[in-house]
Amino acid sequence: MTRQNYLFTSESVSEGHPDKVCDRISDAILDAFLSEEANARVACETFATTNCVVVGGEVGLTDQSRLADFMRRIDGIVRDCVRDIGYEQEKFHWNSLQLHNMLHPQSAHIAQGVDRDGAGDQGIMFGYAVDETPELMPAPILYAHAILRRLAEVRKSGAEPDLGPDAKSQLTLRYEDGRPVEVMQLVLSTQHRDDAQTSDDIRAIVEPYIREVLPGDWLTERTEWHVNPTGTFVIGGPDGDAGLTGRKIIVDTYGGAAPHGGGAFSGKDPTKVDRSAAYAARYLAKNVVAAGLARRCTLQVSYAIGVARPLSIYVDTHGTGAVDEAAIEKAIAQCMDLTPRGIREHLSLTRPIYARTAAYGHFGRTPEADGGFSWERVDLVDALKKAV
Protein backbone atom coordinates (compact mmCIF):
# COMPACT_ATOMS: atom_id res chain seq x y z
CA MET A 1 0.00 0.00 0.00
CA THR A 2 1.32 3.48 -0.92
CA ARG A 3 2.55 5.49 2.06
CA GLN A 4 0.37 8.46 2.95
CA ASN A 5 2.47 10.20 5.61
CA TYR A 6 6.10 10.95 4.80
CA LEU A 7 8.75 13.57 3.95
CA PHE A 8 9.94 14.09 0.38
CA THR A 9 12.67 16.38 -0.96
CA SER A 10 13.43 17.82 -4.41
CA GLU A 11 15.96 20.37 -5.62
CA SER A 12 16.16 22.89 -8.44
CA VAL A 13 18.97 25.00 -9.89
CA SER A 14 18.80 28.42 -11.52
CA GLU A 15 19.53 29.41 -15.11
CA GLY A 16 22.95 30.63 -13.91
CA HIS A 17 24.00 27.25 -12.53
CA PRO A 18 26.98 26.03 -14.59
CA ASP A 19 25.13 23.00 -15.97
CA LYS A 20 22.09 25.12 -16.81
CA VAL A 21 24.24 27.66 -18.66
CA CYS A 22 25.31 24.74 -20.85
CA ASP A 23 21.75 23.47 -21.30
CA ARG A 24 20.68 26.97 -22.36
CA ILE A 25 23.47 27.29 -24.93
CA SER A 26 22.77 23.84 -26.39
CA ASP A 27 19.05 24.58 -26.70
CA ALA A 28 19.64 28.05 -28.15
CA ILE A 29 21.80 26.49 -30.86
CA LEU A 30 19.04 23.94 -31.49
CA ASP A 31 16.48 26.75 -31.80
CA ALA A 32 18.69 28.56 -34.29
CA PHE A 33 18.88 25.46 -36.49
CA LEU A 34 15.12 24.85 -36.26
CA SER A 35 14.51 28.49 -37.21
CA GLU A 36 16.56 27.81 -40.32
CA GLU A 37 14.91 24.48 -41.12
CA ALA A 38 12.16 22.55 -39.32
CA ASN A 39 13.85 19.23 -40.15
CA ALA A 40 17.30 20.26 -38.93
CA ARG A 41 19.21 17.63 -36.96
CA VAL A 42 21.02 18.71 -33.82
CA ALA A 43 22.80 16.88 -31.02
CA CYS A 44 24.72 19.69 -29.34
CA GLU A 45 26.74 19.37 -26.15
CA THR A 46 28.25 22.31 -24.25
CA PHE A 47 31.04 22.49 -21.68
CA ALA A 48 31.78 25.66 -19.71
CA THR A 49 34.57 26.57 -17.33
CA THR A 50 36.53 29.69 -16.36
CA ASN A 51 36.10 32.18 -19.25
CA CYS A 52 35.71 29.34 -21.74
CA VAL A 53 32.84 27.62 -23.55
CA VAL A 54 33.20 24.56 -25.79
CA VAL A 55 30.36 23.39 -28.03
CA GLY A 56 30.46 20.14 -29.96
CA GLY A 57 28.31 17.43 -31.47
CA GLU A 58 26.46 16.63 -34.66
CA VAL A 59 24.30 18.95 -36.74
CA GLY A 60 22.64 18.65 -40.11
CA LEU A 61 20.61 20.60 -42.66
CA THR A 62 19.00 19.26 -45.81
CA ASP A 63 21.58 21.25 -47.76
CA GLN A 64 24.80 20.64 -45.87
CA SER A 65 26.61 23.24 -47.98
CA ARG A 66 24.80 25.87 -45.88
CA LEU A 67 26.44 24.65 -42.68
CA ALA A 68 29.62 26.69 -43.05
CA ASP A 69 27.71 29.98 -43.15
CA PHE A 70 25.50 28.88 -40.29
CA MET A 71 28.49 27.98 -38.10
CA ARG A 72 29.59 31.61 -38.09
CA ARG A 73 26.46 32.45 -36.10
CA ILE A 74 27.36 30.15 -33.19
CA ASP A 75 29.68 32.66 -31.50
CA GLY A 76 26.94 35.28 -31.25
CA ILE A 77 24.38 32.73 -30.03
CA VAL A 78 26.65 31.62 -27.18
CA ARG A 79 27.50 35.15 -26.06
CA ASP A 80 23.86 36.25 -26.18
CA CYS A 81 22.91 33.35 -23.89
CA VAL A 82 25.59 34.17 -21.33
CA ARG A 83 24.70 37.88 -21.42
CA ASP A 84 20.98 37.20 -20.96
CA ILE A 85 21.66 34.93 -17.99
CA GLY A 86 23.64 37.79 -16.46
CA TYR A 87 27.30 36.82 -16.38
CA GLU A 88 29.68 39.76 -16.44
CA GLN A 89 32.19 38.41 -13.91
CA GLU A 90 35.90 38.99 -14.28
CA LYS A 91 36.47 35.30 -15.03
CA PHE A 92 33.22 34.53 -16.83
CA HIS A 93 32.03 37.37 -19.02
CA TRP A 94 29.89 37.12 -22.15
CA ASN A 95 32.15 39.51 -24.03
CA SER A 96 35.56 38.10 -23.13
CA LEU A 97 35.02 34.33 -22.87
CA GLN A 98 36.81 32.08 -25.37
CA LEU A 99 34.56 29.94 -27.56
CA HIS A 100 35.64 26.68 -29.18
CA ASN A 101 33.15 25.47 -31.79
CA MET A 102 33.56 21.75 -32.56
CA LEU A 103 30.17 21.03 -34.16
CA HIS A 104 30.30 18.78 -37.24
CA PRO A 105 27.85 17.14 -39.71
CA GLN A 106 25.57 14.38 -38.47
CA SER A 107 26.70 10.77 -38.89
CA ALA A 108 25.19 9.22 -42.02
CA HIS A 109 24.80 5.92 -40.12
CA ILE A 110 22.51 7.57 -37.55
CA ALA A 111 20.69 9.62 -40.17
CA GLN A 112 19.74 6.58 -42.27
CA GLY A 113 17.44 5.19 -39.56
CA VAL A 114 15.90 8.54 -38.66
CA ASP A 115 15.31 9.43 -42.32
CA ARG A 116 13.03 6.36 -42.53
CA ASP A 117 11.01 7.78 -39.60
CA GLY A 118 12.60 5.41 -37.11
CA ALA A 119 13.70 6.36 -33.62
CA GLY A 120 17.08 8.06 -33.41
CA ASP A 121 18.22 5.72 -30.65
CA GLN A 122 17.09 2.90 -28.42
CA GLY A 123 15.90 3.80 -24.96
CA ILE A 124 13.19 4.03 -22.33
CA MET A 125 11.31 7.22 -21.48
CA PHE A 126 9.00 8.01 -18.56
CA GLY A 127 6.15 10.43 -18.03
CA TYR A 128 4.47 11.24 -14.73
CA ALA A 129 1.54 13.24 -13.37
CA VAL A 130 -0.09 13.53 -9.96
CA ASP A 131 -3.05 15.58 -8.77
CA GLU A 132 -1.37 17.16 -5.74
CA THR A 133 -0.94 20.51 -7.57
CA PRO A 134 -3.07 22.27 -10.22
CA GLU A 135 -0.21 21.70 -12.69
CA LEU A 136 -0.45 17.94 -11.97
CA MET A 137 3.20 17.97 -10.87
CA PRO A 138 4.91 16.82 -7.67
CA ALA A 139 4.87 19.78 -5.31
CA PRO A 140 8.52 19.70 -4.11
CA ILE A 141 10.05 20.17 -7.56
CA LEU A 142 7.33 22.54 -8.76
CA TYR A 143 7.86 24.97 -5.90
CA ALA A 144 11.66 24.58 -5.85
CA HIS A 145 11.56 25.79 -9.47
CA ALA A 146 9.11 28.59 -8.63
CA ILE A 147 11.38 30.03 -5.94
CA LEU A 148 14.36 30.31 -8.28
CA ARG A 149 12.31 31.60 -11.18
CA ARG A 150 10.94 34.40 -8.98
CA LEU A 151 14.42 35.33 -7.72
CA ALA A 152 15.66 35.46 -11.33
CA GLU A 153 12.79 37.82 -12.21
CA VAL A 154 13.62 40.32 -9.46
CA ARG A 155 17.35 40.06 -10.17
CA LYS A 156 16.87 40.81 -13.87
CA SER A 157 14.33 43.58 -13.27
CA GLY A 158 16.82 45.42 -11.07
CA ALA A 159 14.65 45.10 -7.97
CA GLU A 160 17.32 42.98 -6.24
CA PRO A 161 20.69 43.88 -7.81
CA ASP A 162 22.64 42.17 -5.03
CA LEU A 163 21.62 38.71 -6.26
CA GLY A 164 23.79 36.83 -8.76
CA PRO A 165 22.79 34.37 -11.49
CA ASP A 166 23.93 31.14 -9.81
CA ALA A 167 21.53 29.59 -7.29
CA LYS A 168 20.13 26.31 -5.96
CA SER A 169 16.98 25.58 -3.97
CA GLN A 170 15.75 22.50 -2.11
CA LEU A 171 12.43 21.80 -0.42
CA THR A 172 11.50 19.04 2.01
CA LEU A 173 7.72 18.78 2.24
CA ARG A 174 5.68 16.87 4.79
CA TYR A 175 2.87 14.81 3.31
CA GLU A 176 -0.24 13.94 5.29
CA ASP A 177 -2.84 11.58 3.83
CA GLY A 178 -0.88 11.73 0.56
CA ARG A 179 -1.05 15.54 0.28
CA PRO A 180 1.72 18.14 0.83
CA VAL A 181 0.89 20.24 3.90
CA GLU A 182 4.09 21.76 5.33
CA VAL A 183 7.65 22.80 4.44
CA MET A 184 9.96 21.10 6.93
CA GLN A 185 13.30 22.16 5.42
CA LEU A 186 14.05 24.97 2.99
CA VAL A 187 17.53 25.28 1.51
CA LEU A 188 18.58 28.18 -0.70
CA SER A 189 22.08 29.01 -1.85
CA THR A 190 22.34 32.06 -4.07
CA GLN A 191 25.26 33.96 -5.52
CA HIS A 192 25.50 37.57 -4.33
CA ARG A 193 27.57 40.64 -5.14
CA ASP A 194 29.18 41.72 -1.88
CA ASP A 195 31.74 39.74 0.16
CA ALA A 196 30.48 41.43 3.32
CA GLN A 197 26.92 40.12 3.01
CA THR A 198 26.07 37.44 5.58
CA SER A 199 23.61 34.57 5.40
CA ASP A 200 21.17 36.70 7.43
CA ASP A 201 21.54 39.55 4.93
CA ILE A 202 20.71 37.25 2.01
CA ARG A 203 17.76 35.71 3.86
CA ALA A 204 16.34 39.20 4.40
CA ILE A 205 16.49 39.75 0.62
CA VAL A 206 15.02 36.44 -0.51
CA GLU A 207 12.49 35.56 2.20
CA PRO A 208 9.69 37.88 1.01
CA TYR A 209 9.84 36.36 -2.48
CA ILE A 210 9.87 32.81 -1.12
CA ARG A 211 6.80 33.55 1.00
CA GLU A 212 5.16 35.09 -2.06
CA VAL A 213 5.66 31.87 -4.07
CA LEU A 214 4.80 29.16 -1.52
CA PRO A 215 1.26 28.39 -0.30
CA GLY A 216 0.67 30.58 2.74
CA ASP A 217 0.17 27.89 5.36
CA TRP A 218 3.11 25.70 4.33
CA LEU A 219 5.75 27.83 6.11
CA THR A 220 5.32 27.25 9.83
CA GLU A 221 7.27 27.76 13.03
CA ARG A 222 8.69 24.27 12.50
CA THR A 223 10.15 25.13 9.08
CA GLU A 224 13.95 25.16 9.18
CA TRP A 225 15.60 27.72 6.88
CA HIS A 226 19.10 27.21 5.48
CA VAL A 227 20.01 30.26 3.38
CA ASN A 228 23.59 30.31 2.08
CA PRO A 229 24.55 27.90 4.86
CA THR A 230 28.25 27.91 3.90
CA GLY A 231 28.46 31.70 4.06
CA THR A 232 29.88 33.82 1.23
CA PHE A 233 28.87 32.88 -2.32
CA VAL A 234 30.32 35.55 -4.62
CA ILE A 235 32.22 33.45 -7.19
CA GLY A 236 29.60 31.48 -9.11
CA GLY A 237 28.72 30.01 -12.46
CA PRO A 238 31.28 28.23 -14.65
CA ASP A 239 34.09 30.14 -12.94
CA GLY A 240 33.17 28.52 -9.63
CA ASP A 241 32.44 25.05 -11.02
CA ALA A 242 32.55 23.60 -14.53
CA GLY A 243 29.25 22.97 -16.32
CA LEU A 244 28.07 20.38 -18.83
CA THR A 245 24.90 19.82 -20.85
CA GLY A 246 22.53 17.17 -19.51
CA ARG A 247 23.77 16.83 -15.93
CA LYS A 248 20.52 17.96 -14.27
CA ILE A 249 18.04 15.44 -15.69
CA ILE A 250 16.16 14.93 -12.41
CA VAL A 251 15.84 18.69 -11.97
CA ASP A 252 14.49 18.81 -15.54
CA THR A 253 11.75 16.26 -14.87
CA TYR A 254 10.04 15.29 -11.59
CA GLY A 255 12.59 15.90 -8.85
CA GLY A 256 13.01 12.21 -8.13
CA ALA A 257 9.29 11.55 -7.59
CA ALA A 258 9.18 9.35 -10.69
CA PRO A 259 11.60 7.15 -12.66
CA HIS A 260 13.83 8.63 -15.37
CA GLY A 261 14.96 6.78 -18.48
CA GLY A 262 18.43 8.31 -18.29
CA GLY A 263 18.53 10.39 -21.46
CA ALA A 264 19.01 14.16 -21.21
CA PHE A 265 16.87 16.60 -23.19
CA SER A 266 18.80 19.77 -23.94
CA GLY A 267 20.55 20.18 -27.27
CA LYS A 268 18.61 17.35 -28.94
CA ASP A 269 16.24 17.91 -31.85
CA PRO A 270 12.81 16.23 -31.65
CA THR A 271 13.79 13.24 -33.81
CA LYS A 272 15.63 12.11 -30.67
CA VAL A 273 13.17 10.11 -28.59
CA ASP A 274 15.15 10.91 -25.44
CA ARG A 275 13.42 14.26 -25.70
CA SER A 276 10.28 13.91 -27.82
CA ALA A 277 9.05 10.62 -26.32
CA ALA A 278 9.65 11.90 -22.77
CA TYR A 279 7.51 14.92 -23.67
CA ALA A 280 4.84 12.61 -25.12
CA ALA A 281 4.92 10.44 -21.99
CA ARG A 282 4.36 13.48 -19.76
CA TYR A 283 1.54 14.65 -22.07
CA LEU A 284 -0.19 11.29 -21.88
CA ALA A 285 0.27 10.84 -18.13
CA LYS A 286 -1.05 14.36 -17.51
CA ASN A 287 -4.10 13.74 -19.67
CA VAL A 288 -4.78 10.44 -17.90
CA VAL A 289 -4.87 12.25 -14.55
CA ALA A 290 -6.77 15.24 -15.94
CA ALA A 291 -9.38 12.81 -17.34
CA GLY A 292 -9.96 11.39 -13.87
CA LEU A 293 -8.71 7.94 -14.88
CA ALA A 294 -6.19 8.03 -12.01
CA ARG A 295 -4.95 10.43 -9.36
CA ARG A 296 -1.36 9.46 -10.09
CA CYS A 297 0.15 7.98 -13.25
CA THR A 298 3.58 6.77 -14.32
CA LEU A 299 3.93 5.90 -18.00
CA GLN A 300 6.86 4.22 -19.76
CA VAL A 301 7.51 3.87 -23.50
CA SER A 302 10.47 2.14 -25.14
CA TYR A 303 12.09 2.34 -28.57
CA ALA A 304 14.70 0.69 -30.80
CA ILE A 305 16.93 2.70 -33.13
CA GLY A 306 15.55 2.83 -36.65
CA VAL A 307 12.20 1.34 -35.56
CA ALA A 308 9.22 3.69 -35.67
CA ARG A 309 6.64 2.19 -33.32
CA PRO A 310 7.32 1.91 -29.59
CA LEU A 311 8.26 -1.55 -28.39
CA SER A 312 6.13 -1.24 -25.27
CA ILE A 313 3.72 1.01 -23.37
CA TYR A 314 3.43 0.55 -19.61
CA VAL A 315 1.14 2.37 -17.17
CA ASP A 316 1.21 2.30 -13.36
CA THR A 317 -1.51 4.21 -11.49
CA HIS A 318 -0.11 3.32 -8.06
CA GLY A 319 -3.43 2.05 -6.77
CA THR A 320 -5.24 5.29 -7.65
CA GLY A 321 -6.79 4.19 -10.96
CA ALA A 322 -10.50 4.45 -11.70
CA VAL A 323 -10.10 1.91 -14.51
CA ASP A 324 -7.77 -1.00 -15.20
CA GLU A 325 -4.22 -0.04 -16.19
CA ALA A 326 -4.33 -2.34 -19.23
CA ALA A 327 -7.36 -0.40 -20.45
CA ILE A 328 -5.43 2.86 -20.13
CA GLU A 329 -2.50 1.39 -22.06
CA LYS A 330 -4.85 0.34 -24.85
CA ALA A 331 -6.55 3.75 -24.88
CA ILE A 332 -3.19 5.55 -25.12
CA ALA A 333 -2.19 3.49 -28.17
CA GLN A 334 -5.52 4.39 -29.80
CA CYS A 335 -5.44 8.10 -29.02
CA MET A 336 -1.90 9.06 -30.06
CA ASP A 337 0.55 7.99 -32.73
CA LEU A 338 3.70 7.33 -30.71
CA THR A 339 6.06 6.99 -33.65
CA PRO A 340 8.74 9.72 -33.62
CA ARG A 341 7.03 11.45 -36.56
CA GLY A 342 3.61 11.09 -34.92
CA ILE A 343 4.88 12.68 -31.70
CA ARG A 344 6.54 15.56 -33.53
CA GLU A 345 3.39 16.31 -35.49
CA HIS A 346 0.92 15.88 -32.60
CA LEU A 347 2.90 18.19 -30.29
CA SER A 348 4.29 20.50 -33.03
CA LEU A 349 7.84 19.93 -31.88
CA THR A 350 9.73 21.11 -34.99
CA ARG A 351 9.59 24.76 -33.88
CA PRO A 352 12.30 26.84 -32.14
CA ILE A 353 10.74 26.44 -28.67
CA TYR A 354 13.52 24.86 -26.66
CA ALA A 355 15.79 27.52 -25.10
CA ARG A 356 12.95 28.43 -22.72
CA THR A 357 12.87 24.85 -21.41
CA ALA A 358 16.51 24.87 -20.31
CA ALA A 359 15.84 26.18 -16.78
CA TYR A 360 13.06 25.78 -14.19
CA GLY A 361 11.81 22.44 -15.51
CA HIS A 362 10.49 21.03 -18.76
CA PHE A 363 7.20 20.04 -17.11
CA GLY A 364 4.53 21.83 -15.12
CA ARG A 365 4.78 24.92 -17.32
CA THR A 366 1.97 26.79 -19.10
CA PRO A 367 1.38 25.93 -22.79
CA GLU A 368 2.29 28.94 -24.96
CA ALA A 369 0.66 30.39 -28.07
CA ASP A 370 3.64 29.64 -30.32
CA GLY A 371 3.68 25.95 -29.37
CA GLY A 372 6.04 26.14 -26.42
CA PHE A 373 5.30 23.52 -23.76
CA SER A 374 2.66 21.94 -26.00
CA TRP A 375 3.10 18.70 -24.04
CA GLU A 376 1.42 20.42 -21.07
CA ARG A 377 -1.94 20.66 -22.88
CA VAL A 378 -4.85 18.58 -21.61
CA ASP A 379 -6.64 18.30 -24.96
CA LEU A 380 -6.66 14.48 -25.02
CA VAL A 381 -9.01 14.11 -22.05
CA ASP A 382 -12.21 13.47 -24.01
CA ALA A 383 -10.52 11.02 -26.39
CA LEU A 384 -9.07 9.00 -23.51
CA LYS A 385 -12.40 8.88 -21.67
CA LYS A 386 -14.10 7.66 -24.81
CA ALA A 387 -11.40 5.07 -25.53
CA VAL A 388 -11.67 3.43 -22.09
Side-chain angles (χ1 to χ4, degrees):
M1 186 174 181
T2 303
R3 291 180 65 188
Q4 297 295 299
N5 303 311
Y6 56 92
L7 303 181
F8 194 82
T9 303
S10 293
E11 70 154 350
S12 179
V13 297
S14 73
E15 63 198 76
H17 184 280
D19 296 329
K20 282 291 151 197
V21 172
C22 295
D23 286 345
R24 169 72 174 275
I25 291 169
S26 292
D27 274 336
I29 291 171
L30 168 61
D31 279 354
F33 271 89
L34 292 175
S35 296
E36 185 79 7
E37 181 184 311
N39 294 317
R41 303 286 167 74
V42 179
C44 177
E45 310 292 344
T46 302
F47 168 72
T49 187
T50 302
N51 249 353
C52 179
V53 171
V54 181
V55 295
E58 299 187 323
V59 294
L61 297 169
T62 302
D63 181 0
Q64 291 287 67
S65 66
R66 292 154 51 207
L67 270 181
D69 287 339
F70 196 85
M71 289 296 186
R72 286 190 275 273
R73 296 171 53 190
I74 301 299
D75 184 272
I77 292 169
V78 171
R79 295 183 193 279
D80 285 348
C81 287
V82 176
R83 177 168 52 186
D84 182 67
I85 291 168
Y87 277 115
E88 295 185 340
Q89 296 175 191
E90 179 184 356
K91 293 185 179 180
F92 197 75
H93 194 295
W94 63 268
N95 193 38
S96 60
L97 64 83
Q98 293 183 323
L99 173 66
H100 302 278
N101 181 359
M102 303 176 72
L103 294 168
H104 60 84
Q106 183 187 38
S107 162
H109 292 167
I110 293 176
Q112 65 186 352
V114 179
D115 290 340
R116 294 194 298 266
D117 292 334
D121 200 355
Q122 70 178 52
I124 57 174
M125 298 83 206
F126 287 93
Y128 181 73
V130 62
D131 68 354
E132 65 190 54
T133 62
E135 296 83 357
L136 304 185
M137 281 288 288
I141 188 66
L142 185 75
Y143 287 103
H145 287 322
I147 288 169
L148 295 182
R149 190 162 56 245
R150 182 65 181 128
L151 294 180
E153 289 170 355
V154 297
R155 171 177 63 85
K156 289 184 168 185
S157 73
E160 298 296 349
D162 286 340
L163 298 180
D166 195 355
K168 300 178 79 171
S169 63
Q170 184 171 289
L171 285 178
T172 300
L173 298 187
R174 180 173 68 85
Y175 282 72
E176 188 175 288
D177 295 326
R179 292 294 196 230
V181 296
E182 183 180 16
V183 177
M184 299 305 295
Q185 306 279 344
L186 188 154
V187 184
L188 178 78
S189 295
T190 181
Q191 186 182 8
H192 54 94
R193 304 296 186 188
D194 189 347
D195 282 329
Q197 288 173 313
T198 66
S199 297
D200 289 340
D201 294 331
I202 302 304
R203 176 170 173 176
I205 293 172
V206 302
E207 184 171 344
Y209 301 108
I210 293 173
R211 290 187 177 277
E212 176 187 316
V213 165
L214 294 176
D217 56 349
W218 283 12
L219 292 169
T220 71
E221 61 182 15
R222 299 198 303 171
T223 302
E224 294 187 19
W225 292 67
H226 305 277
V227 177
N228 282 18
T230 62
T232 303
F233 182 9
V234 172
I235 299 173
D239 181 34
D241 190 11
L244 195 65
T245 299
R247 273 205 305 206
K248 287 292 177 284
I249 57 177
I250 300 303
V251 170
D252 286 342
T253 54
Y254 308 103
H260 193 293
F265 301 157
S266 290
K268 295 177 181 176
D269 73 71
T271 68
K272 280 75 171 172
V273 285
D274 274 346
R275 182 169 221 158
S276 57
Y279 288 176
R282 161 63 180 172
Y283 171 69
L284 290 165
K286 184 175 184 180
N287 275 269
V288 165
V289 174
L293 303 181
R295 289 181 47 224
R296 181 181 170 203
C297 178
T298 299
L299 187 148
Q300 184 205 61
V301 289
S302 66
Y303 291 86
I305 188 168
V307 178
R309 299 223 165 257
L311 307 184
S312 64
I313 301 172
Y314 166 79
V315 168
D316 183 359
T317 58
H318 309 277
T320 69
V323 298
D324 185 71
E325 288 150 333
I328 297 175
E329 292 166 355
K330 184 177 179 181
I332 283 168
Q334 293 174 3
C335 292
M336 185 175 179
D337 178 358
L338 285 171
T339 65
R341 177 182 291 275
I343 292 170
R344 294 196 302 274
E345 292 178 351
H346 191 105
L347 297 177
S348 302
L349 296 181
T350 57
R351 307 181 188 188
I353 55 174
Y354 296 103
R356 69 194 76 170
T357 70
Y360 314 120
H362 292 244
F363 307 131
R365 310 284 285 272
T366 302
E368 298 176 348
D370 66 351
F373 303 103
S374 60
W375 47 94
E376 291 298 313
R377 301 189 314 241
V378 287
D379 54 3
L380 211 62
V381 165
D382 291 340
L384 284 169
K385 287 181 177 178
K386 183 177 179 180
V388 298

